[in-house]
Every structure is written in C-alpha cells, then in structure tokens.
C-alpha cells in the first residue's frame, strides 16, 4: 500500500507534487493548506486525510482536526502539523508512524520503534530548503518511507 505524504502547500499545489502523488492508495496532508481548493484537487487522486496547520483559517479549516490517527494495513499512523504539539505517547498508543509538517524540512527518523516523518514543504520554497513530498509504504505490517525532492525550475 502506498500512502502519499504532503504538507505545507500554502495555497500552491505544484503539478510536480500531483504527478508524484498520483497512483497513491491514500493521501495524508499534514497542514498549512491555506486554500481549500488544494484539498479538493488532492481528493480527486485518492482518499484524503488532512489536519489543520497554524496558517489554516476560516470555516473550512475549523472543520479539520488538529490531529488524527488512521490505520493502513494494520499500521497506525498519527498525523498533526507541529511535532512540538504531539499530545499522545505514540508507543503507548500503538502508533508506528507520526506524520508532521510545519518546519518545511524533510526528515525521517526512528525512535523507540516509531517512524517520525516530515515530508517537507510542497508549496512555496522557504529559504534554501527543498520542495518535497513523500510516500509511506505499508507492506505486510511494516512501514517504510521515501522522501523525494521535486524538480522545480
């Protein structure tokens, strides 16, 4: 199972990001969406779960959860925008993957058997950080992550 990971689009959904996410079984957007049309376009590709980021406002954004836990192929995935606001103990909760955004820095680290993944920012470039997305692969109850820097002219 391939789960597309995207965050921090900030109102800019790049064609390169859409191309990468196409063919995913599901999509996760870790917040700072800014434009609800982004969610509509992503939902056309695959079932979409998203959370509210610190730059998301308005009635559409208030309808989004601040954090959510979903399960894919027996693997529990917890998603929130800012890792500093993590309000659960992933290990005690049986969560195997935590997906976040906010920093615009793509990263994947494992601690205590939990993968902490930030796909980076797929929208506007910030400083010299890459424009990136990711994928979570669930295979026979195991999770692996691939982060991809998009080729942006």
């Amino acid at each position: 199972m391939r789960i597309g990971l995207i965050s921090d689009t900030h109102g800019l959904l790049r064609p390169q990001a859409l191309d990468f996410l196409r063919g995913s079984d599901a999509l996760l957007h870790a917040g700072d969406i800014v434009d609800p049309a982004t969610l509509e376009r992503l939902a056309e590709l695959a079932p979409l779960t998203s959370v509210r980021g610190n730059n998301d406002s308005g009635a559409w954004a208030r309808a989004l959860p601040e954090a959510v836990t979903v399960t894919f192929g027996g693997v529990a995935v917890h998603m929130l925008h800012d890792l500093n606001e993590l309000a659960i103990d992933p290990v005690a909760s049986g969560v195997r993957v935590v997906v976040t955004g906010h920093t615009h820095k793509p990263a994947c680290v494992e601690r205590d058997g939990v993968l902490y993944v930030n796909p980076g920012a797929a929208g506007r470039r910030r400083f010299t950080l890459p424009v990136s997305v990711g994928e979570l692969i669930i295979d026979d109850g195991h999770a692996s992550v691939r982060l991809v820097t998009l080729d942006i002219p």
Side-chain angles (χ1 to χ4, degrees), residues 31-91:
D32 275 1
I33 301 150
V34 178
D35 182 356
T38 296
L39 297 180
E40 294 168 13
R41 290 188 61 204
L42 289 171
E44 293 171 1
L45 299 179
L48 173 67
T49 302
S50 51
V51 293
R52 182 172 61 246
N54 59 298
N55 287 297
D56 297 324
S57 59
W60 69 271
R62 284 190 296 278
L64 296 174
E66 290 184 10
V68 64
T69 301
V70 292
T71 301
F72 301 105
V75 174
V77 178
H78 186 74
M79 181 172 58
L80 69 159
H81 183 61
D82 184 348
L83 184 59
N84 291 322
E85 296 177 4
L86 182 64
I88 67 164
D89 176 344
V91 175

Side-chain angles (χ1 to χ4, degrees), residues 107-121:
C108 181
V109 297
E110 184 174 346
R111 288 193 310 265
D112 299 322
V114 177
L115 280 175
Y116 292 83
V117 182
N118 184 330

Side-chain angles (χ1 to χ4, degrees), residues 18-36:
L18 288 170
D19 289 345
F20 177 82
L21 296 171
R22 198 167 276 111
S24 296
D25 297 300
L27 298 174
L28 298 177
H29 194 306
D32 275 1
I33 301 150
V34 178
D35 182 356

